[in-house]
Amino acid sequence: MKIIIDALGGDNAPKAIVQGAIDAAKEFGVGIVLVGQGEAILRCLNDIGLDNLPKGIEVAHADGVVSMEDDPTNVMREHKDSSMVVGLKMLADGQGDAFISAGNTGALLTAATLTVKRIKGVRRAAFGPVIPNKGGSMVLIDCGANVECTPEFLLQFGFLGSVYANKFIGVENPRVGLLNNGTEEHKGTPVHQEAYKQLKRAGEAGLINFVGNVESRDALLGAVDVLVADGFSGNIMLKTVEGTAMFMMSILKKIFKDNVLTKLAYLCCKGGMKGLKAMLDYRETGGTAMIGLNKPVIKAHGSSDARAIRSAVRQAMRSVERGAEQALVENIDRLKELKEQ
C-alpha cells in the first residue's frame, strides 16, 4: 500500500508533515510518497537528524503550493505544479492508494473532484468526518463541502454515509437520521421536508435504515450512526462539538488542579481521562474523508502536527483496506433504481 501526502499543505508544513509521515511509515510499515519541494523536504530530514530518506519514504517533486488564501476555482488553472494538484494526479493515475492534504479545503475539494473524480452516479462528494457520540461514533455528512443542498443531495448523503459507516467503522445496518430542528415530519425548510420524504422512501425500499429527523443533542447521545446535513448546518455542528470538547477539557483540567484532593482524584481516574482526551482530540482522528470519490482522499486539519498526520495515514490505510469506495461503486445504482420506480 502507498499513501500520497501533500508535504506543503497546512499551517505546519513541511516539517510536521514530514515528521508525521516518517512516524507513520515506521509504525505502520506503509509506503509513503511526500509531494513537494525536494530541497525543503530534505532540509526537514536534516532538522530531525536524518541524512537520508527513511525506509518506505519517497519524494515526488512539485515546485508550487496552494495557499489558504488561493481561490479554489482557479487551483487547476493557476496551480498545476502545486503539491496538492500533482499528488492528486498521481492518485488518479494509480501511483498511490490514497491521498492526504492539510491544505486549502476548497481547493482540495475542487481539485479532487476534477482529477480523482466522483463515482459515477454521485451528484456531489461530501465531507464525512467520524465524530464521537454516546454510542461510540457516527458519520456526519456533509460538514462543509456543499453549503446549499437539494433534497436529492441529502438523499445521496444518507446512502453514501450508510455505506461508509458500514465499511469504515463496521456498523451493521447503520441508523441514518436527518439533522433538523425537531423530530416531526413537517419540521425544517422545504428542502428538509422533501429530503425527509425521499430518505423515508429509501428506508422503506430497504436501501438505508432511516430513523427520521434527529436533533443535534440526540445525535450526540447515540440516536444515529449517520447524521445527514447540508454543509452549512453540518459544519456548524462539527465546530460546535470541537469547541465544546476543548471547553470541557479545559474546565476539567482547572478543576483537577484546584487543590491537593482534586489532584489525588485525578490520579485515581487518570486512565479514564486520557481515554476521554484521546476520543475528543482531532489529532487522533486524523482527518475527514471526502466521500463519493473514486479513491480515498483525506482532508487533514489545517493545523495538523506530526501526530495528526500519522493518524491521517492510519485513517487512509483503513479506508483502502476496508474498501468503502468500491462498495459505493457497487451499490450506487440502487439509488438510481429507486428514482426510476
Side-chain angles (χ1 to χ4, degrees):
M1 188 185 301
K2 187 172 289 186
I3 309 299
I4 304 168
I5 304 179
D6 173 8
L8 303 182
D11 300 337
N12 300 313
K15 188 172 182 180
I17 313 299
V18 172
Q19 182 65 68
I22 291 172
D23 293 344
K26 181 178 180 180
E27 183 173 350
F28 306 134
V30 64
I32 293 176
V33 181
L34 289 167
V35 184
Q37 297 161 353
E39 300 85 354
I41 294 173
L42 291 176
R43 282 197 298 271
C44 290
L45 291 175
N46 291 332
D47 289 343
I48 57 180
L50 297 175
D51 296 325
N52 299 297
L53 286 171
K55 182 180 179 181
I57 302 288
E58 303 173 33
V59 173
H61 186 77
D63 284 315
V65 58
V66 177
S67 74
M68 294 299 186
E69 292 75 31
D70 283 325
D71 183 352
T73 60
N74 296 327
V75 63
M76 293 300 295
R77 183 171 64 253
E78 298 180 358
H79 299 282
K80 293 180 179 179
D81 65 340
S82 67
S83 54
M84 179 184 290
V85 173
V86 171
L88 285 168
K89 287 182 177 178
M90 291 175 63
L91 178 66
D93 292 340
Q95 299 179 53
D97 299 293
F99 178 78
I100 299 169
S101 177
N104 185 314
T105 302
L108 179 63
L109 176 65
T110 299
T113 300
L114 293 174
T115 53
V116 181
K117 300 186 184 302
R118 295 189 299 269
I119 294 167
K120 187 177 180 180
V122 173
R123 296 292 302 279
R124 291 288 190 277
F127 289 124
V130 177
I131 63 176
N133 68 4
K134 190 175 181 181
S137 60
M138 67 178 177
V139 176
L140 171 62
I141 181 170
D142 181 30
C143 72
N146 306 277
V147 174
E148 296 182 358
C149 291
T150 66
E152 183 183 2
F153 292 175
L154 295 174
L155 168 64
Q156 286 208 346
F157 294 166
F159 185 78
L160 296 177
S162 180
V163 174
Y164 189 78
N166 174 253
K167 290 296 182 179
F168 187 78
I169 57 180
V171 180
E172 291 294 332
N173 199 26
R175 296 163 298 161
V176 178
L178 177 64
L179 179 64
N180 214 326
N181 64 332
T183 58
E184 298 86 354
E185 292 188 26
H186 64 273
K187 287 287 188 172
T189 66
V191 169
H192 286 83
Q193 292 170 17
E194 178 59 28
Y196 179 97
K197 294 177 183 177
Q198 294 192 23
L199 286 162
K200 182 179 180 182
R201 186 174 169 225
E204 292 169 347
L207 298 182
I208 59 174
N209 178 16
F210 182 58
V211 296
N213 288 326
V214 179
E215 295 181 350
S216 55
R217 63 179 180 183
D218 294 322
L220 291 173
L221 289 173
V224 293
D225 305 299
V226 178
L227 185 62
V228 176
D230 59 84
F232 181 80
S233 302
N235 189 265
I236 289 175
M237 179 170 182
L238 178 65
K239 297 299 173 58
T240 301
V241 170
E242 291 178 345
T244 301
M246 293 170 68
F247 170 69
M248 292 301 296
M249 290 305 298
S250 68
I251 293 297
L252 287 171
K253 186 176 181 180
K254 184 178 179 180
I255 290 172
F256 281 125
K257 285 187 173 183
D258 190 50
N259 55 55
V260 174
L261 289 177
T262 58
K263 289 178 181 179
L264 288 173
Y266 172 75
L267 292 176
C268 294
C269 57
K270 185 176 180 180
M273 288 300 298
K274 284 186 175 180
L276 176 63
K277 184 178 180 181
M279 181 176 68
L280 300 175
D281 191 348
Y282 77 86
R283 296 175 301 169
E284 283 298 312
T285 304
T288 297
M290 292 179 60
I291 304 175
L293 299 176
N294 281 298
K295 292 186 178 181
V297 174
I298 307 297
K299 171 62 179 76
H301 201 288
S303 59
S304 290
D305 58 9
R307 180 179 170 191
I309 295 300
R310 164 197 162 277
S311 297
V313 171
R314 182 184 60 202
Q315 180 185 5
M317 292 173 62
R318 186 178 299 171
S319 291
V320 175
E321 291 167 350
R322 300 190 179 183
E325 283 72 23
Q326 184 58 37
L328 287 170
V329 170
E330 294 171 356
N331 288 282
I332 193 65
D333 284 344
R334 297 174 65 196
L335 273 182
K336 183 180 179 181
E337 294 170 3
L338 175 69
K339 188 176 179 180
E340 293 173 348
Q341 290 177 4

